[in-house]
């Protein structure tokens, strides 16, 4: 008998590959946990292996992105997202009939959705099935239309004459609710149908009808508006059937009209939900992207609330949301047609061409008024500032305005203009590529450690090593840290690299006798997970007594409480502390006095030029004297030749590090 697990696996595979109905499961954020072949092929247009972890909206945007001239190419992503939210709100199985475009074609789906719980009864998302009922719907619509016609229901039958204005030749007696005119009055007067068509729709309607006649179309459908004598506006769905003479001339025009107002309004409401930010009621990022794709704009301005995360952290998310609502209202009060495009970001577009000087006048006025506006948490006013990025002319306005915003924040400016000459986009592309390279290298174990010898001046022997990280390219090229660490420090990859370096170094030196140093940044020290990994690795490998942690003197060392706590933890295990690059720029001796330091490493810039630059020897001598008085030993870095080696040795420095005494290499 087959094993039970094997039966279950085969059954799941059978469902996934061969079930014609769509079957899926999603987490609470709408990300797919499971999707069978039917939904991947027919709705998401994706391979099964790429679906997990992504949302319906992601695939809808991707499909629309392939057809920028047709924003209605694929509209199911947002519909699916909204019905997921309804199921989670009511927490019960529900049935939906959803319709929208797939590959540009109107499609109907019968959807069953329910909350999804794990084996412990914890809500983890939603589960659902879907079936394409488009053919069934079309049949139902036809039957409905026929029954309505027979029963003199809301379907109104028409026959039009070909004269100017399309006089109504015949009409069913149930016409009053649709046109607002009695049957008898219409028939007596042979009223022109065009008098009921909304003036804004008349030209397009006439053009479309003429185009169908030219193609000899036997039937066609149109949506347009009717205006009753009471000025009430009604949307109608017009199904027209045409007979032609042998000569091609139109013989008769017949059809029926349905009041389609409710459906149109429902569609408009769905669009409003899809394109409106639920918190601020402003148009959202999807809307600005749609507007940028469908209309021509000359400029984009992006606004960011400065240090908004601190508001959330200090006062709570509810208070932060209140500030966002108040800022949205400020835009309305200023008559700025704003979008909310992200958590704390807003944007506006303008069509008319403007010089930056003109925009700058507006920006200064807005910033001035914003700085004098009051924003409240409860009854207490709090200061709120904004930074602004501007893009004028060209393409990718939203992206470029966002780049300008980040440029303004980095330079600590209130606003900045995107300038192509700054090559910021190329830098961003490069950073993205480097981040991807780092991520791949981490996955493939291509982040490695080299070790540079540190020589004892008295014995002229290697007594220590400094651990230096390297990245190995796929072709074997060794990449120095200056080419990838700056990018890593701006991502979560940096913490992974630090933990990997700690692990590798401790594994290497657990069977050696030398001391080894590892560089840690203030970011590492503030990362509780990284610190815990350091402590546990030292204990597991038994290397604490030979480990030295180097901390940059210039990098956040004034954050005494965090640094002191870290030093206390590792020193309790027997590790030592070194202050790196001491003497670079302004060195605060008070920092060192407040910390229990074992080594001071002199900044390489001082050592490199000690033989040629006046006063470097005086500075080094002062550092050495200070170090010895507090009981610390001194390491001189960047000793590149015998002359520098001799000078530094004579200054009573304990250790030498540099290419003269040893280059970094693998051990």
């Amino acid at each position: 008998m087959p094993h039970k697990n094997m039966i279950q696996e085969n059954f799941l595979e059978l469902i996934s590959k061969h079930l014609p109905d769509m079957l899926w499961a999603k987490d609470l954020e709408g990300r797919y946990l499971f999707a069978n072949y039917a939904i991947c092929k027919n709705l998401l247009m994706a391979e099964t292996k790429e679906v997990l972890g992504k949302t319906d909206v992601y695939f809808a945007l991707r499909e629309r992105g392939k057809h920028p001239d047709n924003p209605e190419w694929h509209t199911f992503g947002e519909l699916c997202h909204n019905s997921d939210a309804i199921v989670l709100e009511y927490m019960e199985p529900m049935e939906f009939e959803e319709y929208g475009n797939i590959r540009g074609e109107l499609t109907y789906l019968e959807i069953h959705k329910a909350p999804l719980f794990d084996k412990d009864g914890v809500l983890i998302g939603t589960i659902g099935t879907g079936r394409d009922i488009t053919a069934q719907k079309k049949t139902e619509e036809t039957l409905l239309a026929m029954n309505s016609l027979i029963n003199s229901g809301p379907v109104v039958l028409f026959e039009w004459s070909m004269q100017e204005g399309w006089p109504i030749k015949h009409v069913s007696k149930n016409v009053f609710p649709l046109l607002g005119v009695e049957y008898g009055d219409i028939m007596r007067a042979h009223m022109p149908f065009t008098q009921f068509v909304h003036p804004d729709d008349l030209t397009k309607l006439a053009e479309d009808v003429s185009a169908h006649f030219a193609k000899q179309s036997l039937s066609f459908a149109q949506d347009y508006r009717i205006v009753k004598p009471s000025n009430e506006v009604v949307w109608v769905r017009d199904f027209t059937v045409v007979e032609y003479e042998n000569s091609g001339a139109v013989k008769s025009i017949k059809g029926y009209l349905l009041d389609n107002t409710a459906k149109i309004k429902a569609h408009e409401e769905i669009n409003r939900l899809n394109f409106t930010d639920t918190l601020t009621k402003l148009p959202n990022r999807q809307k600005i992207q749609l507007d940028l794709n469908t209309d021509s704009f000359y400029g984009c301005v992006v606004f960011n609330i400065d240090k908004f995360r601190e508001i959330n952290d200090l006062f709570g998310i509810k208070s932060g949301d209140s500030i966002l609502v108040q800022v949205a209202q400020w835009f309305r009060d200023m008559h700025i047609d704003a979008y909310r495009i992200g958590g704390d970001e807003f944007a506006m577009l303008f069509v008319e061409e403007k010089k930056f000087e003109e925009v700058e006048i507006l920006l200064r006025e807005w910033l001035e008024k914003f700085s004098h506006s009051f924003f409240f948490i409860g009854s207490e006013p709090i200061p709120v500032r904004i930074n602004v990025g501007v893009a004028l002319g060209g393409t990718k306005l939203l992206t470029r305005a966002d780049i300008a915003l980040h440029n303004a924040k980095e330079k600590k400016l209130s606003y900045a203009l995107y300038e192509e000459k700054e090559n910021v986009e190329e830098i961003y592309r490069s950073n993205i590529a480097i981040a991807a390279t780092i991520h791949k290298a981490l996955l493939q174990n291509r982040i490695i450690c080299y070790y540079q010898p540190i020589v004892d001046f008295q014995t002229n022997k290697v007594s220590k090593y400094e651990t230096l990280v390297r990245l190995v390219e796929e072709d074997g090229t060794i990449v120095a840290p200056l080419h990838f660490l700056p990018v890593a420090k701006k991502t979560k990859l940096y913490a992974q690299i630090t933990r990997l370096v700690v692990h590798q170094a401790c594994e290497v030196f657990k069977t050696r006798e030398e001391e080894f140093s590892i560089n840690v940044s203030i970011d590492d020290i503030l990362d509780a997970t990284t610190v815990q990994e350091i402590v546990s690795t030292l204990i597991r490998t038994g290397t604490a007594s030979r480990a030295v942690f180097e901390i940059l003197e210039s990098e956040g060392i004034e954050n005494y409480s965090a640094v002191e706590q870290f030093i206390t933890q590792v020193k309790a295990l027997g590790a030592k502390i070194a202050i790196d690059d001491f003497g670079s720029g302004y060195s605060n001796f008070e920092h060192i006095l407040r910390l229990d330091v074992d080594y001071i490493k002199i900044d390489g810039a001082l050592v490199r030029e000690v033989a040629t630059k006046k006063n470097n020897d005086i500075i080094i001598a002062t550092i050495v004297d200070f170090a010895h008085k507090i009981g610390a030993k001194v390491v001189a870095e960047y000793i590149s030749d015998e002359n520098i080696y001799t000078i530094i040795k004579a200054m009573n420095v304990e250790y030498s590090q540099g290419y003269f005494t040893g280059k970094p290499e693998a051990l």
Side-chain angles (χ1 to χ4, degrees):
M1 177 178 286
H3 192 274
K4 181 179 179 182
N5 288 341
M6 186 181 297
I7 295 174
Q8 291 175 342
E9 290 173 3
N10 291 341
F11 181 69
L12 182 60
E13 182 179 0
L14 181 66
I15 290 175
S16 181
K17 288 185 176 180
H18 303 295
L19 185 71
D21 288 349
M22 303 175 190
L23 178 63
W24 65 86
K26 304 175 192 173
D27 67 14
L28 293 172
E29 302 299 324
R31 296 179 294 241
Y32 278 96
L33 302 171
F34 169 81
N36 73 345
Y37 178 79
I39 190 172
C40 293
K41 175 186 176 183
N42 301 322
L43 181 63
L44 304 179
M45 274 66 83
E47 298 293 330
T48 53
K49 61 184 178 182
E50 67 175 317
V51 169
L52 300 186
K54 298 183 178 66
T55 66
D56 293 294
V57 175
Y58 168 88
F59 292 106
L61 291 174
R62 187 171 78 172
E63 285 304 302
R64 290 202 291 271
K66 297 175 185 177
H67 302 271
D69 295 330
N70 185 0
E72 297 296 311
W73 177 259
H74 192 100
T75 60
F76 255 105
E78 292 79 3
L79 291 169
C80 296
H81 178 79
N82 290 338
S83 58
D84 287 345
I86 293 171
V87 169
L88 291 175
E89 178 181 355
Y90 288 95
M91 289 299 294
E92 61 183 28
M94 303 184 78
E95 180 178 347
F96 302 87
E97 183 177 283
E98 296 181 352
Y99 64 91
N101 285 350
I102 299 178
R103 299 187 181 94
E105 296 292 332
L106 182 63
T107 305
Y108 290 86
L109 296 180
E110 181 183 88
I111 302 293
H112 295 264
K113 291 186 178 182
L116 176 62
F117 301 86
D118 66 12
K119 63 181 181 180
D120 298 319
V122 177
L123 177 68
I124 60 172
T126 59
I127 189 168
T129 63
R131 174 174 295 178
D132 189 333
I133 58 168
T134 306
Q136 175 185 333
K137 284 296 297 182
K138 289 181 177 178
T139 302
E140 289 175 357
E141 287 179 358
T142 302
L143 291 173
L144 175 64
M146 291 175 63
N147 289 334
S148 297
L149 287 171
I150 294 170
N151 297 323
S152 299
V155 175
V156 183
L157 298 175
F158 282 88
E159 182 176 359
W160 296 275
S161 298
M162 277 297 296
Q163 286 84 10
E164 183 179 353
W166 304 329
I168 300 171
K169 189 174 181 181
H170 296 290
V171 66
S172 56
K173 294 182 178 180
N174 58 337
V175 68
F176 181 80
L178 189 70
L179 299 188
V181 179
E182 295 292 348
Y183 166 79
D185 296 335
I186 293 175
M187 294 307 297
R188 280 192 296 271
H190 294 285
M191 292 180 176
F193 184 72
T194 53
Q195 79 176 52
F196 298 101
V197 179
H198 195 289
D200 293 343
D201 296 347
L202 186 56
T203 300
K204 184 178 185 306
L205 177 63
E207 291 173 351
D208 288 349
V209 170
S210 297
H212 282 294
F213 288 168
K215 292 186 296 184
Q216 299 279 290
S217 299
L218 297 176
S219 63
F220 50 88
Q222 296 165 289
D223 292 308
Y224 52 87
R225 288 169 292 179
I226 292 292
V227 182
K228 298 181 181 181
S230 63
N231 290 324
E232 179 187 355
V233 177
V234 178
W235 276 96
V236 296
R237 180 74 166 166
D238 181 340
F239 296 88
T240 303
V241 178
V242 187
E243 285 187 80
Y244 298 91
E245 304 281 2
N246 291 334
S247 63
V250 175
K251 180 178 180 181
S252 70
I253 314 173
K254 300 174 182 177
Y256 61 88
L257 270 62
L258 283 167
D259 186 333
N260 204 32
T261 307
K263 184 177 179 180
I264 295 293
K265 287 186 179 293
H267 187 67
E268 289 175 349
E269 179 63 13
I270 290 172
N271 279 341
R272 187 189 68 78
L273 292 172
N274 287 339
F275 296 117
T276 302
D277 175 56
T278 55
L279 177 66
T280 64
K281 310 308 179 189
L282 293 176
N284 60 16
R285 191 178 190 89
Q286 288 175 245
K287 178 58 175 170
I288 197 173
Q289 293 284 12
L290 179 64
D291 290 346
L292 284 167
N293 289 336
T294 54
D295 293 312
S296 296
F297 292 93
Y298 181 74
C300 177
V301 181
V302 173
F303 307 84
N304 174 260
I305 300 176
D306 189 38
K307 298 180 179 178
F308 181 71
R309 176 180 288 183
E310 293 183 7
I311 296 175
N312 273 339
D313 291 344
L314 191 59
F315 301 106
I317 293 175
K318 186 175 180 180
S319 296
D321 286 348
S322 172
I323 294 297
L324 292 172
V325 171
Q326 292 174 62
V327 170
Q329 187 56 49
W330 182 86
F331 283 116
R332 293 187 186 94
D333 294 341
M334 291 295 297
H335 304 292
I336 298 172
D337 294 327
Y339 303 76
R340 184 187 175 200
I341 60 172
D344 57 357
E345 286 193 358
F346 300 82
M348 66 163 292
L349 302 171
F350 52 87
V351 176
E352 66 277 10
E353 185 172 339
K354 292 178 183 289
K355 294 181 179 178
F356 180 62
E357 290 76 11
E358 299 176 75
V359 178
E360 193 172 27
I361 292 171
L362 277 174
L363 291 180
R364 288 177 176 174
E365 177 187 341
W366 292 339
L367 288 167
E368 175 71 16
K369 290 183 177 179
F370 193 90
S371 67
H372 289 91
S373 297
F374 291 100
F375 300 93
F376 294 88
I377 292 179
S379 59
E380 295 297 322
I382 67 164
V384 179
R385 298 193 317 114
I386 53 174
N387 300 107
V388 184
V390 182
L392 300 176
T395 58
K396 299 184 287 187
L397 288 173
L398 183 59
T399 299
R400 293 183 170 186
D402 200 50
I403 289 172
L405 169 66
H406 287 286
N407 199 17
K409 294 177 76 171
E410 282 190 6
K411 295 179 179 179
K412 301 190 183 305
L413 302 172
S414 296
Y415 59 87
L417 171 69
Y418 174 84
E419 296 188 68
E420 202 155 353
K421 64 182 181 182
E422 293 184 358
N423 205 28
V424 179
E425 284 182 278
E426 185 58 39
I427 293 171
Y428 283 179
R429 280 193 291 270
S430 174
N431 288 346
I432 291 170
I434 292 170
T437 298
I438 298 169
H439 185 254
K440 191 173 183 180
L442 283 165
L443 292 175
Q444 297 177 350
N445 299 317
R446 289 189 285 105
I447 299 294
I448 64 170
C449 292
Y450 273 20
Y451 304 91
Q452 185 169 29
I454 299 174
V455 173
D456 188 319
F457 271 117
Q458 297 303 314
T459 64
N460 203 32
K461 294 181 179 180
V462 176
S463 62
K464 312 175 191 303
Y465 287 90
E466 179 178 356
T467 307
L468 301 169
V469 68
R470 297 289 188 267
L471 185 149
V472 183
E473 293 277 20
E474 291 183 284
D475 63 0
T477 303
I478 303 298
V479 181
L482 64 91
H483 297 299
F484 66 89
L485 272 191
V487 173
K489 283 187 175 182
K490 296 178 180 179
T491 71
K492 293 181 179 179
L493 300 174
Y494 181 69
Q496 295 182 49
I497 292 173
T498 298
R499 296 167 200 165
L500 184 62
V501 167
V502 170
H503 176 78
Q504 286 189 24
C506 289
E507 287 293 326
V508 167
F509 282 92
K510 72 180 181 181
T511 57
R512 299 178 68 98
E513 296 180 355
E514 302 94 345
E515 282 189 354
F516 63 101
S517 62
I518 299 171
N519 292 282
V520 290
S521 69
I522 190 64
D523 291 330
D524 296 322
I525 291 171
L526 294 173
D527 186 332
T529 303
T530 297
V531 173
Q532 184 57 44
E533 184 74 15
I534 290 172
V535 171
S536 62
T537 304
L538 290 176
I539 294 172
R540 179 177 54 79
T541 57
T543 53
S545 62
R546 285 172 286 112
V548 180
F549 292 95
E550 296 188 15
I551 305 171
L552 278 179
E553 187 271 337
S554 58
E555 192 184 75
I557 198 171
E558 68 277 1
N559 193 332
Y560 295 116
S561 60
V563 175
E564 286 178 335
Q565 184 179 359
F566 173 76
I567 291 174
T568 300
Q569 280 184 276
V570 296
K571 281 213 160 197
L573 300 173
K576 297 181 178 66
I577 298 296
I579 297 301
D580 199 10
D581 288 351
F582 192 77
S584 61
Y586 171 71
S587 291
N588 192 334
F589 286 83
E590 183 185 359
H591 292 165
I592 311 305
L593 290 172
R594 292 186 60 173
L595 303 171
D596 187 8
V597 172
D598 299 287
Y599 299 101
I600 291 178
K601 301 189 76 171
I602 302 173
D603 178 41
L606 293 172
V607 177
R608 263 198 310 262
E609 300 176 335
V610 68
T612 58
K613 197 166 185 179
K614 185 180 178 181
N615 296 330
N616 274 26
D617 56 342
I618 298 174
I619 298 172
I620 293 173
T622 302
I623 294 172
V624 172
D625 182 59
F626 168 73
H628 291 165
K629 284 180 178 178
I630 65 170
K633 295 181 180 181
V634 181
V635 181
E637 297 184 284
Y638 287 88
I639 293 182
S640 56
D641 57 42
E642 186 176 0
N643 185 31
I644 296 174
Y645 180 88
T646 303
I647 293 171
I648 296 297
K649 182 177 181 180
M651 299 178 77
N652 205 22
V653 173
E654 281 84 3
Y655 301 102
S656 165
Q657 182 178 350
Y659 274 30
F660 179 68
T661 51
K663 296 180 180 180
E665 59 184 3
L667 291 179

